[in-house]
Amino acid sequence: MQPVRLGPKTVRSAFGEQLARFLLTSGRGAVDLVQAAVRSAGEPEALAVVVDLFEKRLAEPLAAWLGGSQARVRSKAIIALASGVHLLRDALSEKPDEQEVLIELLGQIFQDLVDPPAT
């Protein structure tokens, strides 16, 4: 499965499920920003680089794609949740039947951040 990419062909209504499925079923990439952030926490210079990459490569483009009210905060919430799922994915989805339920639940959470329900 290919990583979720943001662009004109991204199907907004399927983003939450696609992201959840990717996080729980894909192989580990060569560059793992989550692990880099964890490892760099004690090194101010390294952490500054990771924070800069986070802002420029993840938070800003995602916020631009999301648009609307509080897009920047919603983008950071998506990234924070995705990071936690990625970090703990081996412990989260040990059984295939549980994995599908987890994908559905997490997909809905992500989707609600993409398109917040009307209040």
Coordinates of all heavy atoms in Angstrom, one line a residue, residues 14-101:
A14 N -12.4 9.7 2.2 CA -11.8 8.4 2.6 C -10.4 8.5 3.3 O -9.8 7.6 3.7 CB -11.5 7.5 1.3
F15 N -10.1 9.8 3.6 CA -8.7 10.0 4.2 C -8.6 9.3 5.5 O -7.5 8.7 5.8 CB -8.5 11.6 4.4 CG -7.2 11.9 5.0 CD1 -6.1 12.0 4.2 CD2 -7.1 12.2 6.3 CE1 -4.9 12.3 4.8 CE2 -5.9 12.5 6.9 CZ -4.8 12.6 6.1
G16 N -9.5 9.4 6.4 CA -9.4 8.9 7.8 C -9.2 7.4 7.7 O -8.2 6.9 8.4
E17 N -10.0 6.6 7.0 CA -9.8 5.2 6.9 C -8.5 4.8 6.2 O -7.8 3.9 6.6 CB -11.0 4.6 6.1 CG -11.0 3.1 6.1 CD -10.2 2.5 4.9 OE1 -10.0 3.1 3.9 OE2 -9.7 1.3 5.1
Q18 N -8.1 5.6 5.2 CA -6.8 5.3 4.5 C -5.6 5.5 5.4 O -4.7 4.7 5.4 CB -6.7 6.2 3.2 CG -7.7 5.7 2.1 CD -7.6 6.7 0.9 OE1 -7.0 7.8 1.0 NE2 -8.1 6.2 -0.2
L19 N -5.7 6.6 6.1 CA -4.6 6.9 7.0 C -4.5 5.8 8.1 O -3.4 5.3 8.4 CB -4.7 8.3 7.7 CG -3.6 8.7 8.6 CD1 -2.2 8.7 8.0 CD2 -3.9 10.1 9.2
A20 N -5.6 5.5 8.7 CA -5.6 4.5 9.8 C -5.1 3.1 9.2 O -4.2 2.5 9.9 CB -7.0 4.3 10.3
R21 N -5.5 2.7 8.1 CA -5.1 1.5 7.5 C -3.6 1.5 7.2 O -2.8 0.6 7.4 CB -5.9 1.2 6.2 CG -5.5 -0.2 5.6 CD -6.5 -0.5 4.5 NE -7.9 -0.6 4.9 CZ -8.5 -1.6 5.6 NH1 -7.7 -2.6 6.0 NH2 -9.7 -1.5 6.0
F22 N -3.1 2.6 6.6 CA -1.7 2.8 6.3 C -0.9 2.7 7.6 O 0.1 2.0 7.6 CB -1.4 4.1 5.6 CG 0.0 4.4 5.5 CD1 0.8 3.8 4.5 CD2 0.7 5.4 6.3 CE1 2.1 4.1 4.3 CE2 2.0 5.6 6.2 CZ 2.7 5.0 5.2
L23 N -1.3 3.4 8.7 CA -0.5 3.4 9.9 C -0.4 2.0 10.5 O 0.6 1.6 11.1 CB -1.1 4.3 10.9 CG -1.0 5.8 10.5 CD1 -1.8 6.7 11.5 CD2 0.5 6.3 10.6
L24 N -1.5 1.2 10.4 CA -1.5 -0.1 11.1 C -1.0 -1.3 10.2 O -0.8 -2.3 10.8 CB -3.0 -0.4 11.6 CG -3.4 0.5 12.7 CD1 -4.9 0.4 12.9 CD2 -2.6 0.2 14.0
T25 N -0.9 -1.1 8.9 CA -0.6 -2.2 8.1 C 0.7 -2.0 7.2 O 1.1 -3.0 6.6 CB -1.8 -2.6 7.1 OG1 -2.0 -1.5 6.2 CG2 -3.0 -2.9 7.9
S26 N 1.2 -0.8 7.1 CA 2.3 -0.6 6.2 C 3.6 -1.0 6.9 O 3.8 -1.1 8.1 CB 2.4 0.8 5.8 OG 2.7 1.6 6.9
G27 N 4.6 -1.3 6.0 CA 6.0 -1.6 6.5 C 6.6 -0.3 7.0 O 6.2 0.8 6.7
R28 N 7.6 -0.5 7.8 CA 8.4 0.7 8.3 C 9.2 1.3 7.2 O 9.8 0.7 6.4 CB 9.3 0.3 9.4 CG 8.5 -0.3 10.6 CD 9.3 -0.2 11.9 NE 8.6 -0.9 12.9 CZ 7.6 -0.3 13.6 NH1 7.2 0.8 13.4 NH2 7.1 -1.0 14.6
G29 N 9.1 2.7 7.1 CA 9.9 3.4 6.1 C 11.3 3.6 6.5 O 11.7 3.4 7.7
A30 N 12.1 4.0 5.6 CA 13.5 4.2 5.8 C 13.7 5.4 6.8 O 14.6 5.3 7.6 CB 14.2 4.5 4.5
V31 N 12.9 6.4 6.7 CA 13.0 7.5 7.6 C 11.8 7.6 8.5 O 10.7 7.6 8.0 CB 13.2 8.9 6.8 CG1 13.2 10.0 7.8 CG2 14.4 8.8 5.9
D32 N 12.0 7.5 9.8 CA 10.9 7.4 10.7 C 10.9 8.7 11.6 O 11.7 8.8 12.5 CB 11.0 6.2 11.6 CG 9.8 6.0 12.4 OD1 9.0 6.9 12.7 OD2 9.6 4.8 12.9
L33 N 10.1 9.7 11.2 CA 10.1 11.0 11.9 C 9.7 10.8 13.4 O 10.2 11.5 14.2 CB 9.2 11.9 11.2 CG 9.3 13.4 11.6 CD1 10.7 13.9 11.5 CD2 8.3 14.3 10.8
V34 N 8.8 9.9 13.7 CA 8.4 9.7 15.1 C 9.6 9.2 15.9 O 9.9 9.7 17.0 CB 7.3 8.6 15.1 CG1 6.9 8.3 16.6 CG2 6.0 9.1 14.4
Q35 N 10.3 8.2 15.4 CA 11.5 7.7 16.1 C 12.6 8.8 16.2 O 13.2 8.9 17.3 CB 12.1 6.5 15.5 CG 11.2 5.3 15.6 CD 11.0 4.8 17.0 OE1 11.8 5.0 17.9 NE2 9.9 4.1 17.2
A36 N 12.7 9.6 15.2 CA 13.7 10.7 15.2 C 13.3 11.7 16.3 O 14.2 12.2 17.0 CB 13.8 11.3 13.8
A37 N 12.1 12.0 16.4 CA 11.6 12.9 17.4 C 11.9 12.4 18.8 O 12.4 13.1 19.7 CB 10.2 13.2 17.3
V38 N 11.6 11.1 19.0 CA 11.8 10.5 20.4 C 13.3 10.5 20.7 O 13.7 10.9 21.8 CB 11.3 9.1 20.4 CG1 11.7 8.4 21.7 CG2 9.8 9.1 20.3
R39 N 14.1 10.1 19.7 CA 15.6 10.1 20.0 C 16.2 11.5 20.1 O 17.2 11.6 20.8 CB 16.3 9.4 18.8 CG 16.0 7.9 18.8 CD 16.8 7.2 17.7 NE 16.3 5.8 17.6 CZ 15.9 5.3 16.5 NH1 15.9 6.0 15.4 NH2 15.5 4.0 16.4
S40 N 15.7 12.5 19.5 CA 16.3 13.8 19.5 C 15.8 14.7 20.7 O 16.3 15.8 20.9 CB 16.0 14.6 18.2 OG 14.6 14.8 18.1
A41 N 14.9 14.2 21.5 CA 14.3 15.0 22.6 C 15.3 15.5 23.5 O 15.2 16.6 24.0 CB 13.3 14.1 23.4
G42 N 16.4 14.8 23.8 CA 17.5 15.3 24.7 C 18.5 16.1 24.1 O 19.4 16.6 24.8
E43 N 18.5 16.3 22.8 CA 19.5 17.1 22.0 C 18.8 18.3 21.4 O 18.1 18.2 20.4 CB 20.1 16.2 20.9 CG 20.8 15.0 21.4 CD 22.1 15.4 22.2 OE1 22.7 16.4 21.9 OE2 22.5 14.6 23.1
P44 N 19.0 19.5 22.0 CA 18.3 20.7 21.5 C 18.5 21.0 20.0 O 17.5 21.3 19.3 CB 18.9 21.8 22.3 CG 19.4 21.1 23.6 CD 19.8 19.8 23.1
E45 N 19.7 20.8 19.5 CA 19.9 21.1 18.1 C 19.2 20.1 17.2 O 18.6 20.4 16.2 CB 21.4 21.0 17.7 CG 22.3 22.1 18.4 CD 22.7 21.7 19.8 OE1 22.6 20.5 20.2 OE2 23.1 22.7 20.5
A46 N 19.2 18.8 17.5 CA 18.5 17.8 16.8 C 17.0 18.0 16.9 O 16.3 17.8 15.9 CB 18.9 16.4 17.3
L47 N 16.6 18.3 18.0 CA 15.1 18.5 18.2 C 14.7 19.7 17.4 O 13.6 19.7 16.8 CB 14.8 18.7 19.7 CG 13.3 18.9 20.0 CD1 12.5 17.7 19.6 CD2 13.1 19.1 21.5
A48 N 15.5 20.8 17.3 CA 15.1 21.9 16.5 C 14.9 21.5 15.0 O 14.0 22.0 14.3 CB 16.1 23.0 16.6
V49 N 15.8 20.6 14.5 CA 15.7 20.2 13.1 C 14.4 19.4 12.9 O 13.7 19.6 11.9 CB 16.9 19.3 12.7 CG1 16.7 18.6 11.4 CG2 18.2 20.2 12.7
V50 N 14.1 18.5 13.9 CA 12.9 17.7 13.8 C 11.6 18.5 13.8 O 10.7 18.4 13.0 CB 12.9 16.6 14.9 CG1 11.5 15.9 14.9 CG2 14.0 15.6 14.7
V51 N 11.6 19.5 14.7 CA 10.5 20.4 14.8 C 10.3 21.2 13.5 O 9.2 21.4 13.0 CB 10.6 21.4 16.0 CG1 9.6 22.5 16.0 CG2 10.5 20.6 17.3
D52 N 11.4 21.7 12.9 CA 11.3 22.4 11.7 C 10.8 21.5 10.6 O 9.9 21.9 9.8 CB 12.7 22.9 11.3 CG 12.7 23.8 10.1 OD1 11.9 24.8 10.1 OD2 13.4 23.5 9.1
L53 N 11.3 20.3 10.5 CA 10.7 19.3 9.5 C 9.3 19.1 9.7 O 8.4 19.0 8.8 CB 11.5 18.0 9.5 CG 12.9 18.0 8.9 CD1 13.6 16.7 9.2 CD2 12.7 18.2 7.4
F54 N 8.9 18.9 11.0 CA 7.5 18.7 11.3 C 6.6 19.8 10.8 O 5.6 19.6 10.2 CB 7.4 18.5 12.9 CG 6.0 18.6 13.4 CD1 5.2 17.5 13.4 CD2 5.5 19.7 14.0 CE1 3.9 17.5 13.9 CE2 4.2 19.8 14.5 CZ 3.4 18.7 14.4
E55 N 7.0 21.0 11.1 CA 6.2 22.2 10.7 C 6.1 22.3 9.2 O 5.0 22.4 8.6 CB 6.8 23.5 11.3 CG 6.6 23.6 12.8 CD 5.2 23.9 13.2 OE1 4.4 24.5 12.4 OE2 4.8 23.4 14.3
K56 N 7.3 22.3 8.5 CA 7.3 22.6 7.1 C 6.8 21.4 6.2 O 6.2 21.6 5.2 CB 8.7 23.0 6.7 CG 9.1 24.3 7.2 CD 10.5 24.7 6.8 CE 10.9 26.0 7.4 NZ 12.3 26.4 7.2
R57 N 7.1 20.2 6.6 CA 6.8 19.0 5.8 C 5.5 18.3 6.1 O 4.9 17.6 5.3 CB 7.9 18.0 5.8 CG 9.2 18.6 5.4 CD 9.8 17.9 4.3 NE 11.0 18.6 3.8 CZ 11.8 18.1 3.0 NH1 11.5 16.9 2.5 NH2 12.9 18.7 2.6
L58 N 5.0 18.6 7.4 CA 3.8 17.9 7.8 C 2.7 18.9 8.2 O 1.6 18.9 7.5 CB 4.1 17.0 9.0 CG 5.0 15.8 8.7 CD1 5.3 15.1 10.0 CD2 4.3 14.8 7.8
A59 N 2.9 19.6 9.2 CA 1.8 20.5 9.7 C 1.3 21.5 8.7 O 0.1 21.6 8.5 CB 2.2 21.1 11.0
E60 N 2.2 22.3 8.1 CA 1.7 23.3 7.2 C 1.0 22.8 6.0 O -0.1 23.2 5.6 CB 2.9 24.2 6.8 CG 3.4 25.1 7.9 CD 4.7 25.8 7.6 OE1 5.1 25.8 6.5 OE2 5.3 26.4 8.6
P61 N 1.6 21.8 5.3 CA 0.9 21.2 4.1 C -0.5 20.6 4.4 O -1.4 20.8 3.7 CB 1.8 20.2 3.5 CG 3.2 20.5 4.0 CD 2.9 21.2 5.4
L62 N -0.5 19.9 5.6 CA -1.8 19.3 6.0 C -2.8 20.3 6.3 O -4.0 20.2 5.9 CB -1.5 18.3 7.2 CG -2.8 17.6 7.7 CD1 -3.5 16.8 6.6 CD2 -2.4 16.6 8.8
A63 N -2.4 21.4 7.0 CA -3.3 22.5 7.4 C -3.9 23.1 6.1 O -5.0 23.4 6.0 CB -2.6 23.5 8.3
A64 N -3.0 23.3 5.1 CA -3.4 24.0 3.9 C -4.4 23.1 3.2 O -5.4 23.6 2.6 CB -2.2 24.2 3.0
W65 N -4.2 21.8 3.2 CA -5.1 20.8 2.5 C -6.5 20.8 3.3 O -7.5 20.7 2.7 CB -4.5 19.4 2.5 CG -5.4 18.4 1.8 CD1 -5.5 18.2 0.4 CD2 -6.2 17.4 2.4 NE1 -6.4 17.2 0.2 CE2 -6.8 16.7 1.4 CE3 -6.4 17.1 3.8 CZ2 -7.7 15.6 1.7 CZ3 -7.2 16.0 4.0 CH2 -7.9 15.3 3.0
L66 N -6.4 20.8 4.6 CA -7.6 20.7 5.4 C -8.5 21.9 5.2 O -9.7 21.8 5.0 CB -7.3 20.6 6.9 CG -6.7 19.3 7.4 CD1 -6.2 19.4 8.8 CD2 -7.7 18.1 7.2
G67 N -7.9 23.1 5.3 CA -8.6 24.4 5.2 C -9.6 24.5 6.3 O -9.8 23.7 7.2
G68 N -10.3 25.6 6.3 CA -11.4 25.8 7.2 C -11.0 26.2 8.6 O -9.8 26.5 8.8
S69 N -11.9 26.2 9.5 CA -11.7 26.6 10.9 C -10.7 25.7 11.6 O -10.8 24.5 11.5 CB -13.1 26.5 11.6 OG -12.9 26.9 13.0
Q70 N -9.7 26.4 12.2 CA -8.7 25.7 13.1 C -7.9 24.6 12.3 O -7.6 23.6 12.9 CB -9.3 25.2 14.3 CG -10.0 26.2 15.2 CD -10.6 25.7 16.4 OE1 -11.0 24.5 16.5 NE2 -10.7 26.5 17.5
A71 N -7.7 24.9 11.0 CA -7.0 23.9 10.2 C -5.6 23.5 10.8 O -5.2 22.3 10.8 CB -6.8 24.4 8.8
R72 N -4.9 24.5 11.3 CA -3.6 24.2 11.8 C -3.6 23.4 13.1 O -2.8 22.4 13.2 CB -2.9 25.6 12.1 CG -1.4 25.4 12.5 CD -0.7 26.8 12.5 NE 0.6 26.7 12.8 CZ 1.6 26.2 12.0 NH1 1.3 25.8 10.8 NH2 2.9 26.2 12.4
V73 N -4.6 23.6 14.0 CA -4.7 22.8 15.2 C -5.2 21.4 14.8 O -4.7 20.4 15.4 CB -5.7 23.5 16.2 CG1 -6.0 22.6 17.4 CG2 -5.2 24.9 16.6
R74 N -6.1 21.3 13.9 CA -6.6 20.0 13.4 C -5.5 19.2 12.8 O -5.4 18.0 13.0 CB -7.8 20.1 12.5 CG -9.0 20.7 13.2 CD -10.3 20.8 12.4 NE -10.2 20.4 11.0 CZ -10.3 21.3 9.9 NH1 -10.4 22.6 10.1 NH2 -10.3 20.8 8.7
S75 N -4.6 19.9 12.0 CA -3.5 19.2 11.4 C -2.5 18.6 12.5 O -2.1 17.5 12.4 CB -2.7 20.0 10.4 OG -1.9 21.0 11.1
K76 N -2.3 19.4 13.5 CA -1.4 18.9 14.6 C -2.0 17.8 15.4 O -1.3 16.9 15.8 CB -1.0 20.1 15.5 CG 0.0 21.0 14.8 CD 0.4 22.2 15.7 CE 1.4 23.0 15.0 NZ 1.9 24.1 15.9
A77 N -3.3 17.8 15.5 CA -4.0 16.7 16.2 C -3.9 15.4 15.4 O -3.7 14.4 16.0 CB -5.5 17.1 16.5
I78 N -4.1 15.5 14.1 CA -4.0 14.4 13.2 C -2.6 13.8 13.3 O -2.4 12.6 13.5 CB -4.4 14.7 11.8 CG1 -5.9 15.0 11.6 CG2 -3.9 13.6 10.8 CD1 -6.3 15.6 10.3
I79 N -1.6 14.7 13.2 CA -0.2 14.2 13.3 C 0.1 13.6 14.6 O 0.8 12.5 14.7 CB 0.8 15.4 12.9 CG1 0.6 15.8 11.5 CG2 2.2 15.0 13.2 CD1 1.2 17.1 11.1
A80 N -0.3 14.2 15.7 CA -0.1 13.6 17.0 C -0.7 12.3 17.2 O 0.0 11.3 17.7 CB -0.6 14.6 18.1
L81 N -2.0 12.1 16.8 CA -2.6 10.8 16.9 C -2.0 9.8 16.0 O -1.7 8.6 16.4 CB -4.1 10.9 16.5 CG -5.0 11.7 17.6 CD1 -6.3 12.0 17.0 CD2 -5.1 10.9 18.8
A82 N -1.6 10.2 14.8 CA -1.0 9.3 13.8 C 0.4 8.8 14.4 O 0.8 7.7 14.3 CB -0.8 10.0 12.5
S83 N 1.1 9.8 15.0 CA 2.4 9.4 15.6 C 2.3 8.4 16.7 O 3.0 7.4 16.8 CB 3.1 10.7 16.1 OG 3.4 11.6 15.1
G84 N 1.3 8.6 17.5 CA 1.1 7.6 18.6 C 0.6 6.2 18.1 O 1.1 5.2 18.6
V85 N -0.2 6.2 17.1 CA -0.6 4.9 16.5 C 0.6 4.3 15.8 O 0.8 3.1 16.0 CB -1.8 5.2 15.4 CG1 -2.0 3.9 14.6 CG2 -3.0 5.6 16.1
H86 N 1.4 5.0 15.1 CA 2.5 4.5 14.5 C 3.5 3.9 15.5 O 4.0 2.8 15.3 CB 3.2 5.6 13.6 CG 4.5 5.1 13.0 ND1 4.5 4.3 11.9 CD2 5.8 5.3 13.3 CE1 5.7 4.0 11.5 NE2 6.5 4.6 12.3
L87 N 3.7 4.6 16.6 CA 4.7 4.2 17.6 C 4.3 2.9 18.3 O 5.1 2.1 18.6 CB 4.9 5.3 18.6 CG 6.0 5.3 19.6 CD1 7.4 5.3 18.8 CD2 6.0 6.4 20.5
L88 N 2.9 2.8 18.5 CA 2.4 1.6 19.2 C 1.7 0.6 18.4 O 1.1 -0.3 18.9 CB 1.4 2.2 20.3 CG 2.0 3.1 21.4 CD1 0.9 3.7 22.2 CD2 3.0 2.3 22.2
R89 N 1.9 0.7 17.1 CA 1.0 -0.1 16.2 C 1.2 -1.6 16.4 O 0.3 -2.4 16.3 CB 1.3 0.2 14.7 CG 2.6 -0.2 14.2 CD 2.7 0.2 12.8 NE 4.0 -0.2 12.3 CZ 4.4 -0.1 11.1 NH1 3.5 0.3 10.2 NH2 5.5 -0.4 10.7
D90 N 2.4 -2.1 16.7 CA 2.6 -3.5 17.0 C 1.8 -4.0 18.2 O 1.3 -5.1 18.2 CB 4.1 -3.8 17.1 CG 4.9 -3.6 15.8 OD1 4.3 -3.7 14.8 OD2 6.1 -3.4 15.9
A91 N 1.7 -3.2 19.2 CA 0.9 -3.6 20.4 C -0.6 -3.4 20.1 O -1.4 -4.0 20.8 CB 1.3 -2.7 21.5
L92 N -1.0 -2.5 19.2 CA -2.4 -2.2 19.0 C -3.1 -3.2 18.2 O -4.3 -3.4 18.4 CB -2.5 -0.8 18.3 CG -2.2 0.4 19.1 CD1 -2.2 1.7 18.3 CD2 -3.1 0.6 20.4
S93 N -2.5 -3.8 17.3 CA -3.2 -4.7 16.3 C -2.6 -6.0 16.2 O -2.1 -6.4 15.1 CB -3.3 -4.0 15.0 OG -2.0 -3.7 14.4
E94 N -2.7 -6.8 17.3 CA -2.1 -8.1 17.3 C -3.0 -9.2 16.5 O -2.5 -10.1 15.9 CB -1.9 -8.6 18.7 CG -0.8 -7.8 19.4 CD -0.7 -8.2 20.9 OE1 -1.6 -9.0 21.4 OE2 0.3 -7.9 21.5
K95 N -4.3 -9.0 16.6 CA -5.2 -10.0 16.0 C -5.9 -9.3 14.7 O -6.3 -8.2 14.8 CB -6.3 -10.4 17.0 CG -5.8 -11.0 18.2 CD -6.8 -11.4 19.2 CE -6.3 -12.0 20.5 NZ -7.3 -12.2 21.5
P96 N -5.9 -10.1 13.6 CA -6.5 -9.5 12.4 C -7.9 -8.9 12.5 O -8.3 -7.9 12.0 CB -6.5 -10.6 11.4 CG -5.4 -11.5 11.9 CD -5.4 -11.4 13.4
D97 N -8.8 -9.7 13.3 CA -10.2 -9.2 13.5 C -10.2 -7.9 14.3 O -11.0 -7.0 14.0 CB -11.1 -10.3 14.1 CG -10.6 -10.7 15.4 OD1 -9.3 -10.8 15.6 OD2 -11.4 -11.1 16.3
E98 N -9.4 -7.8 15.2 CA -9.3 -6.5 16.0 C -8.7 -5.4 15.2 O -9.1 -4.2 15.3 CB -8.4 -6.7 17.3 CG -9.0 -7.6 18.3 CD -8.2 -7.8 19.5 OE1 -7.0 -7.3 19.5 OE2 -8.6 -8.4 20.5
Q99 N -7.8 -5.7 14.3 CA -7.2 -4.7 13.4 C -8.2 -4.0 12.6 O -8.2 -2.8 12.5 CB -6.1 -5.3 12.5 CG -5.3 -4.3 11.8 CD -4.2 -4.9 11.0 OE1 -4.5 -5.8 10.2 NE2 -3.0 -4.5 11.2
E100 N -9.1 -4.7 12.0 CA -10.2 -4.1 11.2 C -11.1 -3.1 12.0 O -11.4 -2.1 11.5 CB -11.0 -5.1 10.4 CG -10.3 -5.7 9.2 CD -9.8 -4.6 8.2 OE1 -10.6 -3.7 7.8 OE2 -8.7 -4.7 7.8
V101 N -11.4 -3.6 13.2 CA -12.2 -2.7 14.1 C -11.4 -1.5 14.5 O -12.0 -0.4 14.4 CB -12.7 -3.5 15.3 CG1 -13.4 -2.6 16.3 CG2 -13.6 -4.7 14.9

